[in-house]
Coordinates of all heavy atoms in Angstrom, one line a residue:
M1 N -55.7 -81.9 71.0 CA -54.4 -81.4 70.7 C -53.3 -82.3 71.3 O -53.6 -83.0 72.2 CB -54.3 -80.0 71.2 CG -54.7 -78.9 70.1 SD -53.2 -78.4 69.2 CE -52.4 -77.4 70.4
A2 N -52.1 -82.1 70.8 CA -51.0 -82.9 71.3 C -49.7 -82.2 70.8 O -49.8 -81.3 70.0 CB -51.0 -84.3 70.8
Y3 N -48.6 -82.6 71.4 CA -47.3 -82.1 70.9 C -46.7 -83.2 70.1 O -47.0 -84.4 70.2 CB -46.5 -81.7 72.1 CG -46.7 -80.3 72.6 CD1 -48.0 -80.0 73.2 CD2 -45.7 -79.3 72.6 CE1 -48.2 -78.7 73.7 CE2 -46.0 -78.1 73.1 CZ -47.2 -77.8 73.6 OH -47.5 -76.5 74.1
R4 N -45.8 -82.7 69.2 CA -45.1 -83.7 68.3 C -43.6 -83.3 68.2 O -43.2 -82.1 68.3 CB -45.7 -83.6 66.9 CG -45.2 -84.6 65.9 CD -45.9 -84.5 64.6 NE -47.3 -84.9 64.7 CZ -48.3 -84.7 63.8 NH1 -48.0 -84.0 62.7 NH2 -49.5 -85.2 64.0
I5 N -42.8 -84.3 68.1 CA -41.3 -84.2 68.0 C -40.9 -84.2 66.5 O -41.3 -85.1 65.8 CB -40.6 -85.2 68.8 CG1 -40.8 -85.1 70.3 CG2 -39.1 -85.2 68.5 CD1 -40.4 -86.2 71.2
N6 N -40.2 -83.2 66.1 CA -39.6 -83.3 64.8 C -38.4 -84.2 64.8 O -37.3 -83.9 65.4 CB -39.2 -81.9 64.4 CG -38.6 -81.8 63.0 OD1 -38.0 -82.8 62.5 ND2 -38.7 -80.7 62.3
E7 N -38.6 -85.4 64.3 CA -37.5 -86.4 64.4 C -36.2 -86.1 63.6 O -35.2 -86.6 63.9 CB -38.1 -87.8 63.9 CG -39.1 -88.4 64.9 CD -39.5 -89.8 64.6 OE1 -38.6 -90.6 64.0 OE2 -40.6 -90.2 64.8
V8 N -36.4 -85.2 62.7 CA -35.2 -84.8 61.9 C -34.2 -84.0 62.8 O -33.0 -84.2 62.8 CB -35.5 -84.1 60.6 CG1 -34.3 -83.5 59.9 CG2 -36.3 -84.9 59.7
D9 N -34.8 -83.1 63.6 CA -34.0 -82.2 64.4 C -33.7 -82.8 65.8 O -32.8 -82.3 66.4 CB -34.8 -80.9 64.6 CG -34.9 -80.1 63.3 OD1 -34.1 -80.4 62.4 OD2 -35.9 -79.3 63.2
C10 N -34.4 -83.8 66.2 CA -34.1 -84.4 67.6 C -32.7 -84.9 67.6 O -32.2 -85.6 66.8 CB -35.1 -85.5 67.8 SG -34.8 -86.4 69.3
I11 N -32.0 -84.5 68.7 CA -30.6 -84.9 68.9 C -30.5 -86.1 69.9 O -29.4 -86.4 70.4 CB -29.7 -83.8 69.3 CG1 -30.1 -83.2 70.6 CG2 -29.6 -82.7 68.2 CD1 -29.2 -82.2 71.2
A12 N -31.6 -86.7 70.3 CA -31.6 -87.9 71.1 C -31.0 -87.6 72.5 O -30.4 -88.5 73.0 CB -30.9 -89.0 70.4
C13 N -31.2 -86.5 73.0 CA -30.6 -86.2 74.4 C -31.4 -86.8 75.5 O -30.9 -87.0 76.6 CB -30.6 -84.6 74.6 SG -32.2 -83.9 74.9
G14 N -32.7 -87.0 75.3 CA -33.5 -87.7 76.3 C -34.1 -86.8 77.3 O -34.9 -87.2 78.2
A15 N -33.9 -85.5 77.3 CA -34.3 -84.5 78.3 C -35.9 -84.5 78.4 O -36.4 -84.3 79.5 CB -33.8 -83.1 78.0
C16 N -36.5 -84.7 77.3 CA -38.0 -84.5 77.4 C -38.7 -85.7 78.1 O -39.7 -85.5 78.7 CB -38.5 -84.4 75.9 SG -38.0 -85.8 74.9
Q17 N -38.1 -86.8 78.0 CA -38.9 -88.0 78.5 C -39.2 -88.0 80.0 O -40.4 -88.2 80.3 CB -38.1 -89.3 78.1 CG -38.9 -90.6 78.3 CD -38.2 -91.8 77.7 OE1 -37.2 -91.7 77.0 NE2 -38.7 -92.9 77.9
P18 N -38.3 -87.7 80.9 CA -38.7 -87.7 82.3 C -39.6 -86.6 82.8 O -40.1 -86.7 83.9 CB -37.3 -87.7 83.0 CG -36.4 -87.0 82.0 CD -36.9 -87.5 80.7
V19 N -39.7 -85.6 82.0 CA -40.6 -84.5 82.5 C -42.0 -84.6 82.1 O -42.9 -83.9 82.5 CB -40.1 -83.1 82.0 CG1 -38.6 -82.8 82.4 CG2 -40.3 -82.9 80.5
C20 N -42.3 -85.6 81.3 CA -43.7 -85.8 80.9 C -44.6 -86.4 82.0 O -44.3 -87.5 82.5 CB -43.8 -86.7 79.6 SG -45.5 -87.0 79.1
P21 N -45.6 -85.7 82.4 CA -46.4 -86.2 83.6 C -47.2 -87.4 83.3 O -47.6 -88.1 84.2 CB -47.3 -85.0 83.9 CG -47.4 -84.3 82.6 CD -46.1 -84.4 81.9
V22 N -47.4 -87.7 82.1 CA -48.3 -88.9 81.7 C -47.4 -90.0 81.0 O -48.0 -91.0 80.5 CB -49.5 -88.5 80.9 CG1 -50.4 -87.7 81.7 CG2 -49.1 -87.8 79.6
E23 N -46.1 -89.8 81.0 CA -45.2 -90.8 80.5 C -45.6 -91.3 79.1 O -45.6 -92.4 78.8 CB -45.1 -92.0 81.4 CG -44.5 -91.6 82.8 CD -44.4 -92.8 83.7 OE1 -44.6 -93.9 83.3 OE2 -43.9 -92.6 84.9
C24 N -45.9 -90.3 78.2 CA -46.3 -90.7 76.8 C -45.1 -90.5 75.9 O -45.4 -90.5 74.6 CB -47.5 -89.9 76.4 SG -47.3 -88.2 76.1
I25 N -43.9 -90.2 76.4 CA -42.8 -90.1 75.5 C -41.9 -91.3 75.6 O -41.6 -91.8 76.7 CB -41.9 -88.8 75.8 CG1 -42.8 -87.6 75.8 CG2 -40.7 -88.7 74.9 CD1 -42.0 -86.3 76.2
S26 N -41.6 -91.9 74.5 CA -40.8 -93.1 74.5 C -39.6 -93.0 73.5 O -39.6 -92.2 72.6 CB -41.7 -94.3 74.1 OG -42.3 -94.1 72.8
E27 N -38.7 -94.0 73.7 CA -37.5 -94.0 72.9 C -37.7 -94.8 71.7 O -38.3 -95.8 71.7 CB -36.3 -94.6 73.7 CG -35.0 -94.4 73.0 CD -33.8 -94.8 74.0 OE1 -34.0 -94.7 75.2 OE2 -32.8 -95.1 73.4
V28 N -37.3 -94.3 70.6 CA -37.4 -95.0 69.3 C -36.0 -95.2 68.7 O -35.0 -95.1 69.4 CB -38.4 -94.2 68.3 CG1 -39.8 -94.3 68.8 CG2 -38.0 -92.8 68.1
A29 N -35.9 -95.3 67.4 CA -34.6 -95.6 66.8 C -33.6 -94.6 67.0 O -33.9 -93.4 67.0 CB -34.9 -95.8 65.3
D30 N -32.4 -95.0 67.2 CA -31.2 -94.1 67.4 C -31.3 -93.2 68.7 O -30.7 -92.2 68.8 CB -31.0 -93.2 66.2 CG -30.8 -94.0 64.9 OD1 -30.2 -95.1 65.0 OD2 -31.2 -93.5 63.8
G31 N -32.2 -93.6 69.6 CA -32.3 -92.8 70.9 C -33.2 -91.6 70.8 O -33.4 -90.9 71.7
K32 N -33.7 -91.4 69.6 CA -34.7 -90.3 69.4 C -35.9 -90.6 70.2 O -36.2 -91.8 70.5 CB -34.9 -90.0 68.0 CG -33.7 -89.6 67.2 CD -34.0 -89.1 65.8 CE -32.7 -88.6 65.2 NZ -32.9 -87.7 64.0
R33 N -36.7 -89.6 70.5 CA -38.0 -89.8 71.2 C -39.2 -89.5 70.4 O -39.2 -88.7 69.4 CB -38.0 -88.8 72.5 CG -37.5 -89.5 73.8 CD -36.2 -90.1 73.6 NE -35.7 -90.6 75.0 CZ -34.5 -91.0 75.2 NH1 -33.6 -91.0 74.2 NH2 -34.1 -91.4 76.4
K34 N -40.3 -90.2 70.8 CA -41.5 -90.0 70.1 C -42.7 -89.8 71.1 O -42.6 -90.4 72.2 CB -41.8 -91.3 69.3 CG -43.1 -91.2 68.4 CD -43.1 -92.5 67.5 CE -44.4 -92.5 66.7 NZ -44.6 -91.4 65.8
I35 N -43.6 -89.0 70.7 CA -44.8 -88.7 71.6 C -46.0 -89.5 71.2 O -46.3 -89.5 70.0 CB -45.1 -87.2 71.6 CG1 -44.0 -86.4 72.3 CG2 -46.4 -86.9 72.3 CD1 -44.1 -84.9 72.2
D36 N -46.6 -90.2 72.1 CA -47.9 -90.8 71.8 C -49.0 -89.8 71.9 O -49.4 -89.3 72.9 CB -48.1 -91.9 72.9 CG -49.5 -92.6 72.6 OD1 -50.2 -92.2 71.7 OD2 -49.8 -93.6 73.4
E37 N -49.4 -89.3 70.7 CA -50.3 -88.2 70.7 C -51.7 -88.5 71.2 O -52.5 -87.6 71.5 CB -50.4 -87.7 69.2 CG -49.1 -87.1 68.8 CD -49.1 -86.7 67.3 OE1 -50.2 -86.6 66.7 OE2 -48.0 -86.4 66.8
S38 N -52.0 -89.8 71.3 CA -53.3 -90.2 71.9 C -53.4 -90.0 73.4 O -54.5 -89.9 73.9 CB -53.7 -91.6 71.5 OG -52.8 -92.5 72.1
T39 N -52.2 -90.0 74.1 CA -52.3 -89.8 75.5 C -51.7 -88.5 76.0 O -51.8 -88.1 77.1 CB -51.5 -91.0 76.2 OG1 -50.3 -91.1 75.6 CG2 -52.3 -92.3 76.1
C40 N -51.0 -87.7 75.1 CA -50.5 -86.4 75.4 C -51.6 -85.5 75.9 O -52.6 -85.4 75.3 CB -49.8 -85.8 74.2 SG -49.3 -84.1 74.4
I41 N -51.3 -84.8 77.1 CA -52.3 -83.9 77.6 C -52.0 -82.5 77.3 O -52.6 -81.6 77.9 CB -52.5 -84.1 79.1 CG1 -51.2 -83.9 79.9 CG2 -53.0 -85.5 79.4 CD1 -51.3 -83.8 81.4
D42 N -51.1 -82.2 76.4 CA -50.9 -80.9 75.9 C -50.3 -79.9 76.9 O -50.6 -78.7 76.9 CB -52.2 -80.4 75.3 CG -52.0 -79.3 74.3 OD1 -51.0 -79.2 73.7 OD2 -52.9 -78.4 74.2
C43 N -49.5 -80.4 77.9 CA -49.0 -79.6 78.9 C -47.9 -78.7 78.5 O -47.6 -77.6 79.1 CB -48.7 -80.4 80.1 SG -47.1 -81.3 80.0
G44 N -47.1 -79.1 77.5 CA -46.0 -78.3 77.0 C -44.7 -78.5 77.8 O -43.7 -77.8 77.5
A45 N -44.7 -79.3 78.8 CA -43.4 -79.5 79.6 C -42.3 -79.9 78.8 O -41.1 -79.4 79.0 CB -43.7 -80.4 80.8
C46 N -42.5 -80.8 77.9 CA -41.4 -81.4 77.1 C -40.8 -80.3 76.2 O -39.6 -80.2 76.1 CB -41.9 -82.5 76.2 SG -43.4 -82.1 75.2
A47 N -41.6 -79.5 75.6 CA -41.1 -78.5 74.7 C -40.3 -77.5 75.5 O -39.3 -76.9 74.9 CB -42.3 -77.7 74.1
G48 N -40.6 -77.3 76.7 CA -39.8 -76.3 77.5 C -38.4 -76.7 77.9 O -37.5 -75.9 78.1
V49 N -38.1 -78.0 77.8 CA -36.8 -78.5 78.2 C -36.0 -79.0 77.0 O -34.8 -79.3 77.1 CB -36.8 -79.7 79.2 CG1 -37.5 -79.2 80.5 CG2 -37.5 -80.9 78.6
C50 N -36.5 -79.0 75.8 CA -35.8 -79.5 74.6 C -34.8 -78.4 74.2 O -35.1 -77.3 73.9 CB -36.8 -79.7 73.5 SG -35.9 -80.3 72.0
P51 N -33.5 -78.8 74.2 CA -32.4 -77.9 73.9 C -32.4 -77.4 72.4 O -31.8 -76.4 72.1 CB -31.1 -78.7 74.2 CG -31.5 -80.1 74.0 CD -32.9 -80.2 74.5
V52 N -33.0 -78.2 71.5 CA -33.0 -77.8 70.1 C -34.4 -77.3 69.6 O -34.6 -77.1 68.5 CB -32.5 -78.9 69.2 CG1 -31.0 -79.1 69.5 CG2 -33.3 -80.2 69.4
E53 N -35.3 -77.2 70.6 CA -36.7 -76.7 70.3 C -37.3 -77.4 69.1 O -37.9 -76.8 68.2 CB -36.6 -75.2 70.0 CG -36.1 -74.4 71.2 CD -36.1 -72.9 71.0 OE1 -36.4 -72.4 69.9 OE2 -35.8 -72.1 72.0
C54 N -37.3 -78.7 69.2 CA -37.9 -79.5 68.1 C -39.2 -80.1 68.5 O -39.7 -81.0 67.8 CB -36.9 -80.6 67.6 SG -36.6 -81.9 68.7
I55 N -39.8 -79.7 69.6 CA -41.1 -80.1 70.0 C -42.1 -79.0 69.9 O -41.9 -77.9 70.5 CB -41.1 -80.7 71.5 CG1 -39.9 -81.7 71.7 CG2 -42.4 -81.4 71.8 CD1 -39.8 -82.2 73.1
A56 N -43.2 -79.2 69.2 CA -44.2 -78.1 69.1 C -45.6 -78.7 69.0 O -45.8 -79.9 68.7 CB -43.9 -77.4 67.8
P57 N -46.6 -77.9 69.3 CA -48.0 -78.4 69.2 C -48.3 -78.8 67.8 O -47.8 -78.2 66.8 CB -48.8 -77.1 69.6 CG -47.9 -76.2 70.3 CD -46.5 -76.5 69.7
V58 N -49.1 -79.8 67.7 CA -49.6 -80.3 66.4 C -50.5 -79.2 65.8 O -51.4 -78.7 66.6 CB -50.3 -81.6 66.5 CG1 -50.9 -82.0 65.1 CG2 -49.3 -82.7 67.0
E59 N -50.3 -78.8 64.6 CA -51.2 -77.8 64.0 C -52.6 -78.3 63.9 O -52.8 -79.4 63.5 CB -50.6 -77.3 62.7 CG -49.2 -76.7 62.8 CD -49.3 -75.3 63.5 OE1 -50.3 -74.7 63.4 OE2 -48.3 -74.9 64.1
Ligands
LIG1 FE1 -46.0 -85.2 77.8 FE2 -46.9 -82.7 78.2 FE3 -45.1 -83.2 76.3 FE4 -47.6 -84.1 76.0 S1 -46.9 -81.9 76.1 S2 -45.7 -85.2 75.6 S3 -48.1 -84.6 78.1 S4 -44.8 -83.4 78.5
LIG2 FE1 -35.1 -85.0 71.2 FE2 -35.7 -82.6 72.2 FE3 -36.5 -84.8 73.5 FE4 -33.9 -84.2 73.4 S1 -35.5 -83.0 74.4 S2 -34.8 -86.3 73.0 S3 -33.7 -83.3 71.4 S4 -37.1 -84.1 71.4

């Protein structure tokens, strides 16, 4: 399992990136963030700090 960012809703605030314990969140175009799903450990920390709730577990 992993978490995924909905890039349409992401407002590029950057809040999720520093809370990831395995540093698998990186900046992509327009300052939006992307999760490397191959290294995500499914902790949910990023989802807890996202102000627009655009991070959710991959179904
Ligand atoms: Fe990082 Fe945890 Fe979010 Fe995965 S769920 S991207 S490990 S903070
Ligand atoms: Fe985008 Fe949410 Fe991360 Fe902010 S916390 S950069 S809105 S995914």
Side-chain angles (χ1 to χ4, degrees):
M1 268 266 288
Y3 276 63
R4 185 176 292 165
I5 293 170
N6 180 330
E7 289 188 34
V8 174
D9 294 337
C10 174
I11 59 170
C13 73
C16 55
Q17 194 167 350
V19 304
C20 179
V22 294
E23 298 182 2
C24 71
I25 301 175
S26 57
E27 191 169 336
V28 292
D30 301 328
K32 296 190 177 198
R33 265 50 174 193
K34 183 174 176 55
I35 292 171
D36 177 356
E37 293 175 15
S38 67
T39 50
C40 172
I41 59 170
D42 202 28
C43 73
C46 55
V49 300
C50 179
V52 294
E53 299 182 355
C54 71
I55 310 176
V58 176
E59 296 292 334

